[in-house]
Amino acid sequence: MTLLDGISLSQAIRGELASEVDQRTAAGLRIPHLAAVLVGEDGASLTYVSAKVKACEQVGFRSTLLQFPESISEMELLLEVQRLNEDPEVDGYIVQLPLPEHIRDEMILLAIDPAKDVDGFHPENVGRMALGLDAFLPATPMGILTMLSRYKVETQGKHAVVVGRSSIVGLPMAILLQRNADPGNCTVTITHSRTRNLAELCRNADILIAAAGKPGFITADMVKEGAVVVDVGITRVPDVTRKTGFRIAGDVDFDEVSPKCSFITPVPGGVGPMTIVSLLSNTLLAVRRSGR
Ligand code: NAD
């Protein structure tokens, strides 16, 4: 069994990004600048956004965190988005989801300039991705593809089962795995909460991507001998032995599943760090494409 180590791989890619920043600086080119918008006080969202901002600093990117109170109106947030679209100093930006209930996610996502949409959530980028055109790919599926590629995991002709169909993880993952590309060319089964024979489908997977957000949900009896298992799940589970009062759990029962796998990601330290580094790669792509 080989561990798909997202920490060391993401560090290697951060090193590559940092040297690209050095080269850009030496050539008198712009340093990439990522802005992140956070609304409200949600602890998990603040943790994710802070990690993204810190990662920018580590590779030498500029970063700006824009925090707004939970009470901000949809119109006020749209104006902030407009400001970011027009700000020549900002190459790419993200709006951390979920947003408060009184703000419609789709209204905000539609307002983001697709050329600055480094999360790849704008319908234009989603459509371009689905058609196999140049696009900003959503960071989590992109991070998983990078991981499969760098670890030389064969995907051509394999049966991939994706558990979960969300627009940020499951659905784009399924689209990317079936593309005529490398990594790609999988035969993909996408499953969700209404799927009837999930265990049986999972047992048929050469590559199993678990993105349901249910801790320990994928057990050994659901995994084929020699399968590649990618655990996207991140759930805070109460744990009184920890200072924080919780631990992070994945969707896969790692202890019982890992002995059966050819490759498996740990949680934490698997997909999470790859998601962040993919966001950085997209920001670099944004500045390159802008020609600035
Ligand atoms: P979501 O809640 O939007 O989607 C969950 C999906 O799982 C849904 O499509 C649902 O139909 C499916 N599902 C639920 N129960 C199921 C069942 N019993 N059988 C089959 N499918 C089932 O969640 P999301 O935003 O896609 O995130 C999924 C998980 O991945 C969460 O734990 C989230 O925290 C984590 N996540 C991790 C990263 C990362 O960087 N590692 C990034 C994004 C999300």
Side-chain angles (χ1 to χ4, degrees):
M1 182 272 288
T2 301
L3 200 65
L4 295 168
D5 179 354
I7 295 179
S8 59
L9 179 53
S10 65
Q11 274 165 357
I13 297 173
R14 282 185 202 198
E16 293 164 17
L17 292 170
S19 46
E20 187 130 1
V21 169
D22 290 344
Q23 284 167 25
R24 290 187 69 87
T25 309
L29 295 167
R30 257 181 80 79
I31 301 304
H33 181 191
L34 175 77
V37 174
L38 178 64
V39 179
E41 306 287 327
D42 179 67
S45 293
L46 181 59
T47 307
Y48 296 144
V49 171
S50 306
K52 291 166 186 174
V53 168
K54 197 167 144 215
C56 280
E57 286 158 13
Q58 282 169 353
V59 297
F61 286 10
R62 290 172 62 201
S63 63
T64 302
L65 174 57
L66 297 163
Q67 272 187 281
F68 301 104
E70 179 101 14
S71 58
I72 190 171
S73 71
E74 186 176 279
M75 186 50 76
E76 285 167 331
L77 190 57
L78 282 169
L79 287 173
E80 295 298 338
V81 164
Q82 200 51 44
R83 254 194 279 280
L84 286 164
N85 287 344
E86 286 163 10
D87 187 344
E89 289 299 311
V90 172
D91 300 299
Y93 67 97
I94 59 166
V95 178
Q96 185 69 34
L97 301 177
L99 292 167
E101 266 181 24
H102 65 276
I103 301 177
R104 290 166 291 177
D105 290 3
E106 69 275 15
M107 291 302 286
I108 304 302
L109 295 181
L110 271 167
I112 296 175
D113 177 354
K116 293 190 175 188
D117 171 38
V118 285
D119 253 343
F121 294 164
H122 189 284
E124 184 174 318
N125 279 312
V126 178
R128 293 181 66 88
M129 170 188 69
L131 294 171
L133 303 171
D134 263 354
F136 289 116
L137 302 181
T140 301
M142 178 179 168
I144 294 169
L145 285 190
T146 305
M147 192 173 229
L148 296 175
S149 165
R150 298 271 183 132
Y151 272 90
K152 301 195 181 347
V153 174
E154 183 58 78
T155 61
Q156 306 292 309
K158 303 287 184 183
H159 180 208
V161 173
V162 180
V163 182
R165 60 178 163 189
S166 74
S167 53
I168 62 166
V169 187
L171 182 62
M173 190 73 252
I175 291 171
L176 290 165
L177 284 171
Q178 60 76 45
R179 290 205 308 189
N180 186 0
D182 189 18
N185 278 321
C186 290
T187 303
V188 179
T189 301
I190 181 156
T191 69
H192 46 78
S193 53
R194 306 285 177 90
T195 297
R196 291 207 175 130
N197 50 346
L198 183 74
E200 191 187 328
L201 291 166
C202 289
R203 267 194 299 277
N204 276 311
D206 301 310
I207 299 172
L208 180 61
I209 313 280
K214 296 193 176 290
F217 173 62
I218 304 290
T219 47
D221 59 307
M222 297 167 80
V223 176
K224 179 162 90 175
E225 203 66 49
V228 176
V229 174
V230 174
D231 189 352
V232 187
I234 296 182
T235 307
R236 289 181 169 196
V237 177
D239 184 343
V240 288
T241 67
R242 308 279 173 112
K243 237 182 10 200
T244 51
F246 65 84
R247 67 187 166 83
I248 299 296
D251 282 2
V252 176
D253 184 330
F254 185 88
D255 291 342
E256 63 170 61
V257 167
S258 56
K260 296 183 87 173
C261 298
S262 53
F263 294 90
I264 186 168
T265 58
V267 174
V271 175
M274 294 305 298
T275 295
I276 294 181
V277 84
S278 300
L279 178 67
L280 300 183
S281 298
N282 273 346
T283 307
L284 181 60
L285 186 62
V287 75
R288 279 211 211 107
R289 280 195 186 150
S290 73
R292 285 196 289 259

